[in-house]
Amino acid sequence: MRFVLFQENGVLRGETHHRRFMDTIEEAVFAEEMGFHAWGMSEHHFFSDMAVTPVPECLVSAVAVKTNRIKLRYMSRLISAIHPILIAEQTAATDILSNGRVEVGVARGNTLLQLDAFGVSLDETKERAEEALDLIIRGLSDDTFSHDGKHWGKIPERRLTPKCVQEPHPPFFKIVQSAESARDARRRGLGMITSDMYTGWPALAEYLAAYNDVPESDLAPVVRRPVKSAAAFVGTVRCAKTNDLALEAALGDMTTTARAIINDIYVQLAERSSAGYAHFDHIRELRDKIDDPEYLRNCGPTVLVGDPDHCINQIHRMAELGADEVVLRIDYGTHDEIMSTIEAFGRWVIPHFSNPGSVVRDGSVGVLPGDPRQRPSYTAKAYA
């Protein structure tokens, strides 16, 4: 199981964007020390608080020059709205600055706040994103490229500069929000990252099975470097000495994020579009749950709030369903809260998956891996 720290520069009331940017860089550097496989940042525009990430290439560059090992993932480039040549250039430049550690996630977009501002119709986001991905791949991979498409116009023959360190291009991932989208990611050679599973564990199981069960005979990669990776996304994460302390630290992020995702994003998309986003219509049923902390904490894999034992158990469940990666949004809290959760994962959770034989067991001899006694209680540990 690979662990990815995902952040969106969530700025609390009373903070400044300046301070949050500096704190995010420090948190990413600390994640490398704590054993995270990758650090990632989304792309969002026009948010002033929850997701201040309109220039992810700037943050990726800053983290790149301060780290050595950790992978750096553009978690969701908005390829339906931002020009694909610009995205390709930024990808290549940051791959150089990181000595070949960049990964790229792509998304068609899920907020009217930014799609309306960029003049992108909901009915066109899928087509625009597919055309953009093809152009990005060719720009990064081929010596020269040209383009004549429906949405991104006519581009005469050009050579993209600079060139990536990774050949022919970095690994590509796709944010998926339906089982069909998961199957499409696998068929096209993209890693999969789920999104916002407020509807529970059955939805995660469905998406993972849809991705992992695509037969080899159906594969038709659009990338030059196919990836097979099934990631479970967790939208709110806090880990503390006890479940109660974790819930206290997570409360603001958990309820605010649920309200924004359910009320302000998915329901609006379903109401506006009768085709491409209609599958979000079932989210309406969750509107009366957004202020219920106990429901949110236990509703499924999109919230991971508790002591290390709770976090380990939930991640084991994700692995059993077919996830080989977990993307943890540890954000929208104080810098101390975020650093504490990163440390808790690095000290108590990640080792149970990355190097279980190194975890100290109780007793003079200890217990063997697989023994039901192998996981001691951490509730009495003082690590925060």
Side-chain angles (χ1 to χ4, degrees):
M1 178 66 78
R2 298 179 300 275
F3 288 77
V4 179
L5 171 60
F6 169 53
Q7 297 189 291
E8 297 184 302
N9 277 345
V11 183
L12 299 177
R13 183 173 297 179
E15 284 189 326
T16 65
H17 295 146
H18 169 234
R19 184 66 263 158
R20 183 67 201 123
F21 271 51
M22 298 300 104
D23 287 346
T24 295
I25 295 168
E26 184 178 343
E27 290 153 13
V29 172
F30 189 49
E32 178 175 75
E33 181 183 339
M34 286 292 102
F36 281 77
H37 167 76
W39 170 86
M41 174 154 286
S42 63
E43 176 179 359
H44 284 292
H45 300 265
F46 311 111
F47 284 92
S48 63
D49 49 7
M50 288 187 62
V52 188
T53 55
V55 285
E57 72 281 0
C58 293
L59 270 297
V60 169
S61 297
V63 173
V65 299
K66 288 182 174 287
T67 55
N68 299 291
R69 174 197 56 80
I70 197 167
K71 301 290 185 182
L72 307 175
R73 185 178 301 173
Y74 290 105
M75 198 62 66
S76 56
R77 292 308 310 255
L78 187 59
I79 61 173
S80 67
I82 307 303
H83 201 290
I85 292 179
L86 181 61
I87 292 175
E89 291 170 339
Q90 293 168 351
T91 298
T94 48
D95 198 48
I96 289 172
L97 291 173
S98 67
N99 289 312
R101 289 182 284 135
V102 159
E103 300 176 342
V104 185
V106 297
R108 55 193 280 204
N110 66 359
T111 70
L112 298 178
L113 185 68
Q114 45 201 6
L115 293 174
D116 284 353
F118 286 116
V120 177
S121 166
L122 292 183
D123 296 332
E124 294 182 349
T125 56
K126 188 173 186 293
E127 282 187 3
R128 290 174 65 91
E130 290 178 352
E131 184 180 327
L133 179 60
D134 172 70
L135 181 49
I136 292 168
I137 295 298
R138 288 189 292 112
L140 291 172
S141 306
D142 297 342
D143 180 41
T144 62
F145 69 96
S146 60
H147 185 73
D148 189 1
K150 176 180 177 181
H151 298 287
W152 297 105
K154 189 168 185 176
I155 302 169
E157 187 174 13
R158 293 291 185 267
R159 176 177 287 109
L160 188 85
T161 58
K163 294 294 185 183
C164 287
V165 173
Q166 300 179 80
E167 294 184 351
H169 56 68
F172 274 77
F173 300 77
K174 178 185 177 184
I175 304 296
V176 305
Q177 296 175 317
S178 69
E180 180 51 44
S181 183
R183 281 187 286 271
D184 178 70
R186 178 72 181 114
R187 284 193 295 261
R188 300 169 75 200
L190 306 171
M192 177 198 76
I193 305 170
T194 64
S195 180
D196 305 319
M197 293 287 175
Y198 287 103
T199 50
W201 289 97
L204 178 62
E206 180 187 10
Y207 287 24
L208 290 171
Y211 183 85
N212 289 321
D213 293 347
V214 173
E216 294 287 327
S217 58
D218 286 355
L219 302 184
V222 298
V223 294
R224 314 286 174 84
R225 182 185 178 182
V227 172
K228 187 176 188 295
S229 174
F233 170 76
V234 187
T236 295
V237 181
R238 294 292 187 277
C239 187
K241 288 186 293 184
T242 68
N243 288 328
D244 287 343
L245 287 173
L247 184 59
E248 181 182 345
L251 193 58
D253 179 31
M254 191 166 58
T255 56
T256 302
T257 300
R259 186 177 299 108
I261 295 295
I262 295 170
N263 254 6
D264 301 337
I265 294 178
Y266 290 151
V267 171
Q268 288 185 15
L269 288 171
E271 290 174 346
R272 175 82 71 87
S273 174
S274 60
Y277 295 85
H279 58 282
F280 290 139
D281 193 56
H282 66 282
I283 296 290
R284 294 173 189 271
E285 302 168 10
L286 301 176
R287 278 176 152 173
D288 62 340
K289 304 291 189 182
I290 59 178
D291 292 315
D292 183 346
E294 197 57 33
Y295 170 82
L296 293 174
R297 180 175 179 270
N298 296 294
C299 69
T302 204
V303 173
L304 185 59
V305 173
D307 65 17
D309 273 344
H310 174 78
C311 294
I312 289 168
N313 289 334
Q314 293 289 83
I315 294 167
H316 270 298
R317 187 172 180 181
M318 296 174 195
E320 289 166 0
L321 290 175
D324 52 30
E325 183 176 277
V326 57
V327 175
L328 304 169
R329 178 182 169 273
I330 308 175
D331 201 45
Y332 207 53
T334 69
H335 179 52
D336 288 344
E337 288 171 353
I338 293 169
M339 293 288 275
S340 179
T341 290
I342 292 171
E343 182 174 10
F345 267 85
R347 289 188 182 277
W348 309 112
V349 180
I350 293 176
H352 273 264
F353 299 87
S354 64
N355 192 10
S358 72
V359 177
V360 176
R361 314 295 173 180
D362 290 336
S364 58
V365 177
V367 296
L368 296 174
D371 189 301
R373 296 172 297 156
Q374 70 172 302
R375 267 184 239 137
S377 172
Y378 294 92
T379 56
K381 302 285 185 182
Y383 53 80

